[in-house]
Amino acid sequence: MKITPVSEHVGAEVSEIDIRRLTDGDTATLLQAWGQHGVLFFRDQELTPDDHITFAERFAPIDVNKFFQPVETHPQIAQVLKEPDQLGNIGGGWHTDHSYDQIPAKGSILLAREVPPEGGDTRFLSVAAAYDALSDGLKATLETLSAHHTNVHIFGAGSKHMDKADNRLQNPENVGSAIHPVVIKHPTTGQKLLYVNLAFTTRLISADGHEWTEEESRPLIDYLLGHTAEGGFDYQFSWDEGSLAMWDNRSTWHWALNDYQGHRRLMHRITIAGEALSAAAS
Ligand code: SIN
């Protein structure tokens, strides 16, 4: 197996490997590389849905997403589908999966089944690099704060996002919210990570538990989002059929580009369970 970093801050391509035939030693090597690079990319993998599940379960139990259409034969696998006549796509803005859960998912493992002739790339970035690039003064302040994460405005009843991305599963009873530290410690690498995102982070909370209003929170959250998105901490991955990406939801953000109107794109996604998040300052 060969592991080649693809950019300064995020991602590595793993080659000379058939992920249907991993030894425990290979799995340990991948785990170490995953922690170091945040996203691992594989190409030319010929996986059945069962192979995809077996690969995912090497890293953690599956955490089934409540808002994706499942693959009919394999409910553990979510379909990320955009049809030629559909305008919206799933994941079309910077985000990290499941930050609205009390215990957010460790990562997601996305396999390309059908790709458009051009476009449909996914961008990834490192929130470890984004944190590191902040001033010591702002880092110290952020380490005292927590934030609300919610999906009510996206997956709740009447949300305009549900009309736009119409291949989602309508499941408004299962919307949820959680509070997480703004700066978390990666559970295995110990890296400090900026844990806010555009899709789900709505409001800040002070160290003493006092709430900020949304209006007060917005400027600081927006500053952090802009700093993270525009800071050059990213890498754009182009898919072929059989490409697979596994990303860490704590240390990275991702964004599925919606630039292939008139073509079909079908991906299979498995999300795997994480562990409770702890504050970097703890
Ligand atoms: C997602 O946000 O999980 C979708 C990513 C993609 O389709 O590239």
Side-chain angles (χ1 to χ4, degrees):
M1 159 184 356
K2 194 165 150 206
I3 300 174
T4 313
V6 292
S7 77
E8 185 182 350
H9 297 294
V10 70
E13 185 146 341
V14 187
S15 53
E16 298 170 22
I17 188 171
D18 176 348
I19 63 174
R20 293 172 303 186
R21 294 182 175 71
L22 293 183
T23 63
D24 289 346
D26 293 334
T27 305
T29 304
L30 290 177
L31 262 176
Q32 200 276 334
W34 198 17
Q36 188 178 347
H37 301 287
V39 193
L40 299 180
F41 303 107
F42 304 80
R43 293 197 180 272
D44 303 320
Q45 301 296 319
E46 290 181 17
L47 303 186
T48 64
D50 286 330
D51 294 333
H52 190 186
I53 291 169
T54 303
F55 177 69
E57 285 178 335
R58 282 186 161 271
F59 301 97
I62 294 174
D63 179 353
V64 177
N65 184 288
K66 304 183 189 88
F67 307 100
F68 284 74
Q69 295 287 355
V71 169
E72 210 176 307
T73 50
H74 293 78
Q76 308 95 313
I77 304 179
Q79 285 202 133
V80 179
L81 171 64
K82 183 172 183 252
E83 295 286 10
D85 61 350
Q86 191 187 324
L87 295 179
N89 71 333
I90 289 177
W94 283 122
H95 67 288
T96 187
D97 301 331
H98 292 213
S99 73
Y100 46 77
D101 284 342
Q102 299 296 332
I103 300 189
K106 182 192 295 291
S108 299
I109 301 178
L110 189 71
L111 172 64
R113 292 286 182 198
E114 261 184 82
V115 294
E118 277 177 37
D121 293 0
T122 306
R123 295 178 69 192
F124 295 90
L125 65 71
S126 163
V127 296
Y131 174 80
D132 287 345
L134 294 168
S135 69
D136 288 344
L138 185 51
K139 283 177 182 162
T141 300
L142 295 176
E143 286 189 24
T144 67
L145 300 177
S146 302
H148 276 277
H149 297 248
T150 181
N151 59 20
V152 175
H153 56 293
I154 300 194
F155 306 137
S159 160
K160 63 179 183 347
H161 297 274
M162 295 305 272
D163 298 339
K164 224 172 60 161
D166 53 2
N167 277 312
R168 285 221 195 255
L169 193 62
Q170 304 280 333
N171 194 359
E173 299 79 40
N174 270 308
V175 291
S177 302
I179 294 172
H180 302 297
V182 167
V183 185
I184 59 167
K185 183 163 45 184
H186 190 277
T188 55
T189 67
Q191 274 179 310
K192 290 185 178 184
L193 310 168
L194 192 54
Y195 197 70
V196 292
N197 69 89
L198 174 64
F200 305 120
T201 312
T202 52
R203 222 154 18 97
L204 298 168
I205 305 167
S206 298
D208 58 7
H210 285 106
E211 302 266 350
W212 298 29
T213 65
E214 281 202 30
E215 204 184 0
E216 291 163 343
S217 307
R218 210 59 258 167
L220 180 51
I221 294 176
D222 285 346
Y223 172 75
L224 297 173
L225 298 179
H227 161 83
T228 304
E230 306 301 330
F233 312 119
D234 62 312
Y235 172 73
Q236 183 165 324
F237 181 68
S238 296
W239 301 88
D240 298 304
E241 204 180 297
S243 303
L244 181 142
M246 58 190 291
W247 62 81
D248 186 312
N249 277 314
R250 291 78 50 98
S251 62
T252 65
W253 286 356
H254 57 282
W255 171 5
L257 299 182
N258 185 9
D259 57 356
Y260 52 97
Q261 196 56 43
H263 297 281
R264 191 170 201 259
R265 181 177 184 270
L266 173 63
M267 317 292 274
H268 280 182
R269 196 181 96 178
I270 298 180
T271 303
I272 57 176
E275 45 276 270
L277 299 179
S278 53
S282 64

